[in-house]
Amino acid sequence: QQSKLNSFLWTIKRDPPSYFFGTIHVPYTRVWDFIPENSKKAFQQSHIVYFELDLTDPYTISALTSCQLLPQGENLQDVLPRDIYRRLKRHLEYVKLMMPSWMTPDQRGKGLYADYLFNAIAGNWERKRPVWVMLMVNSLTEVDIKSRGVPVLDLYLAQEAERLRKQTGAVEKVEEQCHPLNGLNFSQV
């Protein structure tokens, strides 16, 4: 029952009210049917919406990509133990081989090709910091590949906010997300 679900929506009592909604970074289609009506209604009635990051801003995407890279001149092969690096390389070869069979007819109908998708997700992997490679590998599963092309919940809501001509903004800068992850040492990763 929609009315019985936890809404992940908090109200800040003021006039007009403000709301705080907790999202998750998964394709919105996986969770949309479980978001209660009170949350959807609060979004629809809002005039200003702030997100964790502005995922519609090209600078944000570019900065997120840049922050994932190792310092100039370093490669993943230089920082990972040889056996882990080899296992990773073999796994990525396996994923690349399997990717065409993981894609949906709908994805192919939209012009997505397995090689393009693999490069979009794993391209330049040998230059990425280990923590970002770990996150990348975790997203290279059949289930995740089948949902590629569907925006994550945050991006979907940002696109909807733009479509509805709502004022938007972000509460964090890329660096505020990047630096803590890049600060993890190898054993933590």
Side-chain angles (χ1 to χ4, degrees), residues 113-129:
Y113 294 96
D115 283 345
Y116 170 81
L117 195 52
F118 180 83
N119 287 329
I121 300 167
N124 210 17
W125 67 270
E126 294 185 84
R127 289 274 303 118
K128 290 185 180 184
R129 294 172 185 266

Side-chain angles (χ1 to χ4, degrees), residues 55-93:
L55 297 176
T56 63
D57 178 13
Y59 167 78
T60 299
I61 303 308
S62 172
L64 275 171
T65 301
S66 294
C67 90
Q68 296 178 17
L69 298 178
L70 287 162
Q72 194 63 34
E74 282 189 37
N75 289 309
L76 198 57
Q77 189 171 7
D78 303 328
V79 297
L80 283 183
R82 185 176 294 164
D83 62 322
I84 292 176
Y85 178 81
R86 282 193 198 131
R87 285 176 46 208
L88 173 62
K89 191 170 182 171
R90 277 195 311 270
H91 179 70
L92 292 176
E93 287 166 358

Side-chain angles (χ1 to χ4, degrees), residues 7-50:
S7 67
F8 302 101
L9 180 75
W10 288 266
T11 303
I12 301 166
K13 293 181 180 172
R14 54 181 294 260
D15 190 24
S18 291
Y19 302 97
F20 186 78
F21 179 66
T23 59
I24 184 168
H25 298 282
V26 298
Y28 85 94
T29 52
R30 284 195 199 166
V31 294
W32 191 251
D33 292 342
F34 302 100
I35 295 174
E37 288 307 315
N38 68 335
S39 299
K40 293 175 182 176
K41 185 177 176 185
F43 177 79
Q44 288 296 325
Q45 292 176 346
S46 68
H47 300 288
I48 304 170
V49 184
Y50 277 81

Side-chain angles (χ1 to χ4, degrees), residues 72-163:
Q72 194 63 34
E74 282 189 37
N75 289 309
L76 198 57
Q77 189 171 7
D78 303 328
V79 297
L80 283 183
R82 185 176 294 164
D83 62 322
I84 292 176
Y85 178 81
R86 282 193 198 131
R87 285 176 46 208
L88 173 62
K89 191 170 182 171
R90 277 195 311 270
H91 179 70
L92 292 176
E93 287 166 358
Y94 163 79
V95 167
K96 189 171 186 172
L97 184 69
M98 295 303 296
M99 209 170 232
S101 67
W102 291 351
M103 292 183 65
T104 66
D106 187 50
Q107 287 171 318
R108 285 192 274 288
K110 290 179 181 172
L112 271 180
Y113 294 96
D115 283 345
Y116 170 81
L117 195 52
F118 180 83
N119 287 329
I121 300 167
N124 210 17
W125 67 270
E126 294 185 84
R127 289 274 303 118
K128 290 185 180 184
R129 294 172 185 266
V131 66
W132 297 101
V133 172
M134 178 195 67
L135 294 170
M136 175 197 75
V137 168
N138 286 339
S139 73
L140 285 170
T141 65
E142 183 174 359
V143 169
D144 283 341
I145 296 305
K146 285 183 184 309
S147 64
R148 283 295 170 144
V150 176
V152 293
L153 181 59
D154 309 46
L155 179 57
Y156 173 75
L157 290 172
Q159 290 169 337
E160 278 296 290
E162 281 189 350
R163 186 182 68 78

